[in-house]
Amino acid sequence: MAGFDKVVSSYEEAMAGLEDNMTVIAGGFGLCGIPENLISEIKRKGTKGLTVVSNNCGVDDFGLGILLPNRQIKKIIASYVGENAEFERQMMNGELEVELTPQGTLAEKMRAGGAGIPAFYTATGYGTPVAEGKEEREFDGRHYILEPAITGDFAIVKAWKADRYGNLVYRKTARNFNPMAATAGKITVVEVEEIVEPGELDPDQIHTPGIYVNRLILGTFEKRIEQRTVRSDS
């Protein structure tokens, strides 16, 4: 990476420095907007003992789910189990440490981490197992719990388009958790469908400024659909 140019030429270079027992924050929702090739590179590297922060853990043979069979993930902080039988099996058998977090809280924990806010109060989860062991406060007659922010050693992100300086544009629902994840990593790695020259993106359309991005790579994507639903011809 030279100067402002964030582009790297290989996935090996993109994920250089990822080591065992690190924390990885991954964008995506279900299989939508996931950094699928960066996940595949983590599998190829064989990095283990990872703490992964993501909305969910993909499916058994795609997305973050491909890291489960080889026990590359030690702990996952997620909103739900999703369509992943191996995730469920490992969780129920005590083989995988799982911290289930309300979806909006998880998004805010990432956003707060990226903004340098160490913790925040939220009413979500008060009076439930989510609140166990957390500080509780009352404001204006309503009860809140203190949630710590999340940061990671790496953040892996999928965007639609970027310029070489790392300014990012996401496309429709693939935006999901990606903007928050992009701000919360010490090293943020982004894969995109198209890279343009600086100045070609409308500044008003940029979702993530390049200051948050460390490495950028052009990829090709399967974009698998988790649950395909089509209209009947009858």
Side-chain angles (χ1 to χ4, degrees):
M1 192 171 71
F4 288 110
D5 193 338
K6 310 294 177 67
V7 178
V8 297
S9 59
S10 71
Y11 279 92
E12 182 178 6
E13 185 179 359
M15 294 306 297
L18 180 68
E19 299 177 355
D20 292 352
N21 304 310
M22 282 186 167
T23 296
V24 177
I25 299 176
F29 185 105
L31 299 183
C32 179
I34 64 171
E36 57 190 74
N37 299 300
L38 294 172
I39 295 168
S40 294
E41 175 61 18
I42 295 173
K43 178 178 173 62
R44 188 198 68 79
K45 287 171 69 71
T47 316
K48 293 184 179 293
L50 296 173
T51 295
V52 171
V53 183
S54 186
N55 181 64
N56 62 297
C57 200
V59 294
D60 289 293
D61 62 344
F62 196 67
L64 289 168
I66 66 175
L67 305 179
L68 290 172
N70 294 332
R71 304 294 196 277
Q72 290 179 260
I73 300 176
K74 174 184 65 178
K75 176 181 179 180
I76 183 157
I77 302 172
S79 292
Y80 71 110
V81 175
E83 303 287 330
N84 194 318
E86 180 62 14
F87 184 161
E88 180 182 17
R89 189 195 67 77
Q90 289 190 20
M91 181 177 71
M92 298 303 291
N93 290 340
E95 301 170 16
L96 177 67
E97 186 180 350
V98 178
E99 183 179 322
L100 291 176
T101 303
Q103 201 163 75
T105 301
L106 182 61
E108 182 64 8
K109 285 162 80 78
M110 292 183 192
R111 192 202 68 81
I117 299 169
F120 59 92
Y121 285 102
T122 177
T124 304
Y126 175 78
T128 75
V130 170
E132 292 178 2
K134 295 174 181 174
E135 179 186 328
E136 298 179 0
R137 291 280 300 274
E138 183 177 338
F139 299 95
D140 297 326
R142 191 176 187 190
H143 294 279
Y144 296 80
I145 60 175
L146 186 66
E147 289 281 3
I150 289 177
T151 56
D153 299 291
F154 271 74
I156 55 174
V157 169
K158 161 68 168 58
W160 173 48
K161 186 183 292 188
D163 63 25
R164 301 182 70 86
Y165 290 173
N167 296 301
L168 307 179
V169 178
Y170 307 99
R171 189 171 187 272
K172 302 185 184 297
T173 52
R175 187 171 174 178
N176 52 61
F177 280 80
N178 280 298
M180 290 77 76
T183 67
K186 294 177 183 176
I187 297 175
T188 293
V189 186
V190 183
E191 56 178 341
V192 296
E193 299 175 40
E194 182 181 356
I195 297 176
V196 301
E197 293 303 314
E200 292 187 38
L201 297 178
D202 181 348
D204 286 336
Q205 300 302 314
I206 291 169
H207 298 127
T208 296
I211 190 68
Y212 290 107
V213 176
N214 300 97
R215 302 169 189 166
L216 179 69
I217 188 166
L218 182 66
T220 56
F221 303 88
E222 181 180 342
K223 297 186 183 179
R224 189 182 302 186
I225 298 173
E226 192 167 356
Q227 293 290 346
R228 185 183 297 272
T229 303
V230 296
R231 184 174 58 190
S232 173
D233 291 334
S234 60

